[in-house]
Amino acid sequence: MNLRIPTFLLGLLVPEILLAGTSANYTTSPTSIDAGGSRGSSATYTIDSSVGGVTGLSSAASPIEINRAGYIAELFEVVGFAVGSSPATVGEGLPLQLSAASLLDDGTQTAVNAATVTWSIVSGPITSISSGGLLSAGIVYQDTGGVFRGSFGGFQSTAPVTILNTNLDNFGSYAGDLIDDAWQVQYFGLNNPLGAATADADGTGQNNLFKFVAGLNPLDGSRFLVQAQPVAGQPGQKNIIFSPRFVDRTYVVQFSTDLTLANNWQNVASFSTSDNGAQRTVTDLAAGSGHRFYRVMITKP
Protein backbone atom coordinates (compact mmCIF):
# COMPACT_ATOMS: atom_id res chain seq x y z
CA MET A 1 0.00 0.00 0.00
CA ASN A 2 1.32 3.47 -0.88
CA LEU A 3 0.51 6.86 0.59
CA ARG A 4 0.00 9.88 -1.62
CA ILE A 5 -0.19 13.24 0.23
CA PRO A 6 -1.70 15.95 -1.93
CA THR A 7 -0.53 19.54 -1.94
CA PHE A 8 -3.09 22.13 -0.79
CA LEU A 9 -3.46 25.79 -1.59
CA LEU A 10 -4.81 27.66 1.44
CA GLY A 11 -6.28 31.10 1.16
CA LEU A 12 -8.89 33.51 2.37
CA LEU A 13 -12.31 33.95 0.86
CA VAL A 14 -12.06 36.73 -1.67
CA PRO A 15 -14.59 38.53 -3.81
CA GLU A 16 -15.14 37.09 -7.26
CA ILE A 17 -12.33 38.11 -9.63
CA LEU A 18 -12.39 37.69 -13.40
CA LEU A 19 -8.99 36.80 -14.79
CA ALA A 20 -7.68 36.63 -18.33
CA GLY A 21 -4.17 36.32 -19.69
CA THR A 22 -2.31 36.70 -22.96
CA SER A 23 1.28 36.44 -24.16
CA ALA A 24 3.11 36.01 -27.41
CA ASN A 25 2.43 32.26 -27.20
CA TYR A 26 -1.07 31.85 -25.70
CA THR A 27 -4.39 33.45 -24.75
CA THR A 28 -6.63 32.34 -21.88
CA SER A 29 -10.31 33.14 -21.55
CA PRO A 30 -11.56 34.91 -18.40
CA THR A 31 -11.99 32.58 -15.42
CA SER A 32 -13.60 33.08 -12.06
CA ILE A 33 -11.78 32.59 -8.76
CA ASP A 34 -14.15 32.61 -5.81
CA ALA A 35 -15.26 30.54 -2.89
CA GLY A 36 -17.62 28.56 -5.14
CA GLY A 37 -14.79 27.13 -7.22
CA SER A 38 -14.00 27.08 -10.96
CA ARG A 39 -12.70 24.78 -13.68
CA GLY A 40 -9.55 25.09 -15.77
CA SER A 41 -8.71 22.87 -18.69
CA SER A 42 -6.37 22.30 -21.62
CA ALA A 43 -5.94 19.63 -24.28
CA THR A 44 -4.32 17.31 -21.70
CA TYR A 45 -5.83 18.15 -18.29
CA THR A 46 -8.85 19.45 -16.34
CA ILE A 47 -8.97 20.82 -12.81
CA ASP A 48 -11.95 21.62 -10.57
CA SER A 49 -10.81 23.75 -7.67
CA SER A 50 -12.09 25.88 -4.83
CA VAL A 51 -10.02 28.60 -3.20
CA GLY A 52 -12.23 28.98 -0.19
CA GLY A 53 -13.09 25.34 0.49
CA VAL A 54 -9.62 23.87 -0.18
CA THR A 55 -11.08 21.01 -2.18
CA GLY A 56 -10.82 19.90 -5.78
CA LEU A 57 -10.13 17.25 -8.37
CA SER A 58 -7.48 17.37 -11.09
CA SER A 59 -6.57 14.92 -13.84
CA ALA A 60 -4.03 14.62 -16.64
CA ALA A 61 -4.62 12.69 -19.87
CA SER A 62 -1.17 11.36 -20.64
CA PRO A 63 -0.13 9.54 -18.59
CA ILE A 64 -3.53 9.15 -16.90
CA GLU A 65 -3.30 10.56 -13.36
CA ILE A 66 -5.95 11.79 -10.92
CA ASN A 67 -5.30 13.90 -7.82
CA ARG A 68 -8.07 14.39 -5.27
CA ALA A 69 -7.64 17.40 -2.99
CA GLY A 70 -9.53 17.82 0.28
CA TYR A 71 -8.18 14.64 1.89
CA ILE A 72 -5.43 14.41 4.48
CA ALA A 73 -3.92 11.65 2.36
CA GLU A 74 -4.90 9.37 -0.52
CA LEU A 75 -4.26 5.64 -0.33
CA PHE A 76 -3.58 3.63 -3.47
CA GLU A 77 -2.08 0.30 -4.45
CA VAL A 78 0.02 -0.64 -7.47
CA VAL A 79 -1.65 -3.56 -9.21
CA GLY A 80 0.26 -3.72 -12.48
CA PHE A 81 2.92 -2.31 -14.76
CA ALA A 82 2.97 -1.33 -18.44
CA VAL A 83 5.65 -0.34 -20.94
CA GLY A 84 5.36 1.18 -24.38
CA SER A 85 6.61 3.81 -26.79
CA SER A 86 5.11 6.66 -28.74
CA PRO A 87 5.16 6.11 -31.63
CA ALA A 88 5.31 2.31 -31.76
CA THR A 89 7.49 2.47 -34.89
CA VAL A 90 11.08 3.57 -35.50
CA GLY A 91 13.23 3.85 -38.59
CA GLU A 92 16.07 1.37 -38.94
CA GLY A 93 19.28 2.51 -37.26
CA LEU A 94 17.46 5.18 -35.22
CA PRO A 95 16.75 5.57 -31.46
CA LEU A 96 13.34 5.40 -29.76
CA GLN A 97 12.60 6.46 -26.19
CA LEU A 98 10.61 3.89 -24.21
CA SER A 99 8.21 4.74 -21.38
CA ALA A 100 6.69 2.95 -18.39
CA ALA A 101 3.85 3.40 -15.91
CA SER A 102 2.52 1.79 -12.76
CA LEU A 103 -1.14 0.73 -12.91
CA LEU A 104 -3.11 1.70 -9.79
CA ASP A 105 -6.11 0.06 -8.15
CA ASP A 106 -8.35 3.03 -8.90
CA GLY A 107 -8.00 2.50 -12.65
CA THR A 108 -5.43 5.23 -13.12
CA GLN A 109 -1.72 5.06 -13.75
CA THR A 110 1.34 7.01 -12.79
CA ALA A 111 4.50 7.48 -14.82
CA VAL A 112 7.66 5.58 -13.88
CA ASN A 113 11.10 7.02 -14.57
CA ALA A 114 12.51 4.95 -17.44
CA ALA A 115 15.92 4.94 -15.76
CA THR A 116 14.51 2.93 -12.82
CA VAL A 117 13.21 0.17 -15.11
CA THR A 118 15.23 -2.91 -16.08
CA TRP A 119 14.96 -3.16 -19.88
CA SER A 120 15.64 -6.19 -22.06
CA ILE A 121 15.19 -7.38 -25.66
CA VAL A 122 12.69 -10.19 -26.23
CA SER A 123 12.89 -10.56 -30.01
CA GLY A 124 13.41 -8.79 -33.31
CA PRO A 125 16.07 -6.49 -34.79
CA ILE A 126 16.62 -4.38 -31.67
CA THR A 127 20.34 -3.66 -31.26
CA SER A 128 20.26 -2.48 -27.64
CA ILE A 129 18.27 -0.70 -24.94
CA SER A 130 20.11 1.72 -22.67
CA SER A 131 19.62 1.93 -18.91
CA GLY A 132 17.55 5.04 -19.56
CA GLY A 133 15.16 3.19 -21.88
CA LEU A 134 16.58 4.40 -25.20
CA LEU A 135 16.03 1.67 -27.80
CA SER A 136 18.39 1.38 -30.78
CA ALA A 137 16.86 -0.16 -33.92
CA GLY A 138 18.88 -2.49 -36.12
CA ILE A 139 19.14 -2.52 -39.92
CA VAL A 140 16.39 -4.47 -41.71
CA TYR A 141 15.59 -5.48 -45.31
CA GLN A 142 11.83 -5.14 -44.75
CA ASP A 143 9.54 -3.72 -42.04
CA THR A 144 10.12 -6.07 -39.10
CA GLY A 145 8.49 -6.40 -35.70
CA GLY A 146 10.30 -6.67 -32.39
CA VAL A 147 9.36 -7.00 -28.72
CA PHE A 148 10.97 -5.42 -25.63
CA ARG A 149 10.43 -6.02 -21.90
CA GLY A 150 10.50 -3.82 -18.83
CA SER A 151 10.73 -4.99 -15.19
CA PHE A 152 9.94 -2.80 -12.18
CA GLY A 153 8.83 -3.37 -8.59
CA GLY A 154 8.22 -7.08 -9.06
CA PHE A 155 6.15 -6.55 -12.22
CA GLN A 156 7.02 -7.24 -15.87
CA SER A 157 5.50 -5.99 -19.10
CA THR A 158 6.26 -6.42 -22.81
CA ALA A 159 5.36 -4.25 -25.80
CA PRO A 160 5.82 -4.48 -29.58
CA VAL A 161 7.75 -2.12 -31.84
CA THR A 162 8.08 -2.10 -35.64
CA ILE A 163 11.44 -1.28 -37.24
CA LEU A 164 10.78 0.39 -40.60
CA ASN A 165 12.85 -0.37 -43.70
CA THR A 166 13.64 3.24 -44.61
CA ASN A 167 16.66 2.43 -46.81
CA LEU A 168 16.10 -0.27 -49.45
CA ASP A 169 19.79 -0.98 -50.02
CA ASN A 170 21.72 -1.08 -46.74
CA PHE A 171 21.38 -4.59 -45.36
CA GLY A 172 24.38 -6.80 -44.59
CA SER A 173 26.57 -7.89 -47.50
CA TYR A 174 23.90 -6.67 -49.94
CA ALA A 175 24.29 -3.03 -48.91
CA GLY A 176 25.03 -0.35 -51.48
CA ASP A 177 24.94 -2.55 -54.61
CA LEU A 178 21.93 -0.83 -56.30
CA ILE A 179 19.67 -3.87 -55.74
CA ASP A 180 16.80 -3.83 -53.24
CA ASP A 181 17.84 -5.96 -50.27
CA ALA A 182 14.40 -7.60 -50.10
CA TRP A 183 14.84 -8.91 -53.68
CA GLN A 184 18.18 -10.48 -52.81
CA VAL A 185 16.86 -12.06 -49.60
CA GLN A 186 13.80 -13.35 -51.49
CA TYR A 187 15.91 -15.31 -53.97
CA PHE A 188 19.18 -15.97 -52.12
CA GLY A 189 18.52 -15.71 -48.36
CA LEU A 190 20.71 -13.71 -45.99
CA ASN A 191 24.19 -12.57 -47.04
CA ASN A 192 24.66 -15.20 -49.78
CA PRO A 193 27.60 -14.52 -52.17
CA LEU A 194 25.41 -15.76 -55.04
CA GLY A 195 23.15 -12.78 -54.38
CA ALA A 196 25.88 -10.23 -55.10
CA ALA A 197 25.17 -7.69 -57.83
CA THR A 198 27.88 -9.08 -60.12
CA ALA A 199 27.00 -12.76 -59.59
CA ASP A 200 25.25 -14.88 -62.25
CA ALA A 201 23.75 -17.74 -60.26
CA ASP A 202 22.03 -19.50 -63.19
CA GLY A 203 24.74 -18.96 -65.79
CA THR A 204 22.74 -16.95 -68.31
CA GLY A 205 25.43 -14.32 -68.83
CA GLN A 206 23.22 -11.62 -67.26
CA ASN A 207 24.16 -10.71 -63.69
CA ASN A 208 21.89 -10.07 -60.72
CA LEU A 209 21.93 -6.29 -61.09
CA PHE A 210 20.69 -6.55 -64.67
CA LYS A 211 18.07 -9.16 -63.76
CA PHE A 212 16.80 -7.01 -60.89
CA VAL A 213 16.37 -4.01 -63.16
CA ALA A 214 14.90 -6.11 -65.99
CA GLY A 215 12.43 -7.89 -63.68
CA LEU A 216 13.85 -11.41 -64.17
CA ASN A 217 14.05 -14.38 -61.84
CA PRO A 218 17.80 -14.81 -61.20
CA LEU A 219 17.53 -18.56 -60.60
CA ASP A 220 15.36 -20.00 -63.39
CA GLY A 221 17.55 -19.36 -66.44
CA SER A 222 15.34 -16.62 -67.86
CA ARG A 223 17.02 -13.93 -69.97
CA PHE A 224 16.16 -10.56 -71.49
CA LEU A 225 16.16 -11.03 -75.26
CA VAL A 226 16.61 -8.43 -78.04
CA GLN A 227 16.60 -8.98 -81.79
CA ALA A 228 16.53 -6.73 -84.88
CA GLN A 229 14.56 -7.71 -87.97
CA PRO A 230 13.87 -6.06 -91.35
CA VAL A 231 10.42 -4.64 -92.04
CA ALA A 232 8.79 -6.23 -95.08
CA GLY A 233 8.46 -3.74 -97.91
CA GLN A 234 10.28 -1.03 -95.93
CA PRO A 235 14.04 -1.30 -96.59
CA GLY A 236 14.74 1.88 -94.58
CA GLN A 237 13.13 0.53 -91.42
CA LYS A 238 14.02 -2.04 -88.73
CA ASN A 239 11.99 -3.79 -86.05
CA ILE A 240 13.67 -4.10 -82.64
CA ILE A 241 11.83 -6.84 -80.73
CA PHE A 242 12.50 -7.46 -77.03
CA SER A 243 11.01 -9.30 -74.06
CA PRO A 244 9.99 -9.57 -71.34
CA ARG A 245 8.57 -6.09 -70.81
CA PHE A 246 6.77 -4.86 -67.68
CA VAL A 247 4.48 -1.90 -67.19
CA ASP A 248 6.56 -0.60 -64.26
CA ARG A 249 9.76 -0.33 -66.32
CA THR A 250 10.84 2.27 -68.88
CA TYR A 251 12.49 1.06 -72.10
CA VAL A 252 14.55 3.21 -74.48
CA VAL A 253 15.94 1.78 -77.72
CA GLN A 254 19.35 3.12 -78.74
CA PHE A 255 21.53 2.59 -81.81
CA SER A 256 25.17 2.90 -82.82
CA THR A 257 26.70 2.84 -86.27
CA ASP A 258 30.20 1.92 -85.07
CA LEU A 259 30.86 -0.26 -81.99
CA THR A 260 34.56 0.66 -82.00
CA LEU A 261 33.71 4.19 -80.92
CA ALA A 262 33.07 4.82 -77.22
CA ASN A 263 29.85 6.52 -76.18
CA ASN A 264 28.52 6.38 -79.72
CA TRP A 265 24.99 5.35 -78.66
CA GLN A 266 22.03 7.52 -79.57
CA ASN A 267 18.31 7.22 -78.83
CA VAL A 268 16.17 6.13 -81.76
CA ALA A 269 14.31 9.36 -82.45
CA SER A 270 11.76 8.34 -85.10
CA PHE A 271 9.88 5.19 -84.14
CA SER A 272 6.55 3.46 -83.55
CA THR A 273 5.72 0.99 -80.77
CA SER A 274 3.43 -2.03 -80.49
CA ASP A 275 3.02 -4.51 -77.65
CA ASN A 276 1.97 -8.15 -77.65
CA GLY A 277 1.77 -9.38 -74.06
CA ALA A 278 5.28 -9.32 -72.59
CA GLN A 279 6.84 -8.63 -76.00
CA ARG A 280 7.41 -5.13 -77.39
CA THR A 281 8.29 -4.15 -80.95
CA VAL A 282 9.86 -0.77 -81.62
CA THR A 283 10.12 0.11 -85.30
CA ASP A 284 13.03 2.39 -86.21
CA LEU A 285 11.45 4.46 -88.97
CA ALA A 286 14.73 6.06 -90.01
CA ALA A 287 17.10 3.10 -89.91
CA GLY A 288 18.33 3.75 -93.47
CA SER A 289 20.32 1.26 -95.51
CA GLY A 290 23.57 1.26 -93.52
CA HIS A 291 24.57 -0.84 -90.53
CA ARG A 292 22.99 -0.10 -87.20
CA PHE A 293 23.55 -1.86 -83.87
CA TYR A 294 20.78 -1.71 -81.28
CA ARG A 295 20.47 -2.00 -77.52
CA VAL A 296 17.66 -1.43 -75.00
CA MET A 297 18.15 0.72 -71.92
CA ILE A 298 15.90 -0.35 -69.01
CA THR A 299 15.01 1.89 -66.07
CA LYS A 300 13.32 0.62 -62.92
CA PRO A 301 11.63 3.39 -60.90
Side-chain angles (χ1 to χ4, degrees):
M1 191 70 68
N2 299 270
L3 183 65
R4 179 189 292 160
I5 302 178
T7 302
F8 300 102
L9 175 65
L10 301 177
L12 299 176
L13 295 179
V14 296
E16 180 171 297
I17 303 173
L18 293 177
L19 299 176
T22 61
S23 76
N25 298 314
Y26 71 87
T27 299
T28 60
S29 302
T31 59
S32 175
I33 297 180
D34 58 27
S38 61
R39 166 171 288 195
S41 64
S42 76
T44 58
Y45 76 88
T46 60
I47 179 168
D48 297 300
S49 61
S50 175
V51 174
V54 197
T55 62
L57 176 69
S58 62
S59 65
S62 180
I64 300 172
E65 295 189 59
I66 297 176
N67 184 44
R68 299 174 179 85
Y71 299 89
I72 297 301
E74 180 184 347
L75 298 177
F76 67 94
E77 185 174 356
V78 177
V79 296
F81 177 65
V83 296
S85 64
S86 182
T89 60
V90 60
E92 58 182 343
L94 297 178
L96 177 66
Q97 181 61 53
L98 307 181
S99 60
S102 289
L103 308 180
L104 309 183
D105 59 350
D106 60 359
T108 63
Q109 63 184 35
T110 184
V112 173
N113 187 339
T116 64
V117 177
T118 300
W119 300 98
S120 60
I121 301 168
V122 178
S123 63
I126 302 172
T127 302
S128 64
I129 304 176
S130 74
S131 59
L134 190 65
L135 179 149
S136 296
I139 303 300
V140 296
Y141 64 88
Q142 63 183 6
D143 293 354
T144 307
V147 177
F148 59 89
R149 176 186 291 115
S151 302
F152 177 78
F155 294 97
Q156 288 190 347
S157 175
T158 60
V161 63
T162 300
I163 289 81
L164 303 177
N165 182 29
T166 56
N167 185 332
L168 302 182
D169 186 19
N170 67 341
F171 182 80
S173 65
Y174 301 145
D177 60 3
L178 303 180
I179 301 177
D180 288 356
D181 301 324
W183 186 88
Q184 290 167 295
V185 173
Q186 174 188 352
Y187 288 108
F188 300 102
L190 302 178
N191 301 314
N192 186 341
L194 290 177
T198 55
D200 177 15
D202 57 1
T204 61
Q206 296 175 344
N207 64 28
N208 287 332
L209 178 56
F210 178 84
K211 292 172 184 175
F212 168 70
V213 174
L216 302 176
N217 183 323
L219 299 175
D220 68 355
S222 59
R223 302 180 72 251
F224 184 81
L225 301 175
V226 183
Q227 57 181 317
Q229 295 181 351
V231 179
Q234 301 291 337
Q237 299 181 6
K238 290 288 190 300
N239 283 331
I240 299 87
I241 305 168
F242 58 87
S243 65
R245 56 163 288 275
F246 300 96
V247 295
D248 61 345
R249 265 72 171 174
T250 301
Y251 303 88
V252 177
V253 177
Q254 296 184 323
F255 74 93
S256 173
T257 56
D258 189 346
L259 294 180
T260 65
L261 299 177
N263 301 318
N264 191 42
W265 293 97
Q266 304 174 53
N267 292 349
V268 172
S270 179
F271 63 90
S272 62
T273 300
S274 63
D275 293 328
N276 181 16
Q279 178 178 282
R280 171 167 290 181
T281 299
V282 174
T283 302
D284 182 357
L285 302 176
S289 57
H291 289 293
R292 279 196 175 190
F293 304 93
Y294 293 96
R295 71 179 184 182
V296 178
M297 301 295 291
I298 309 171
T299 303
K300 180 184 182 300

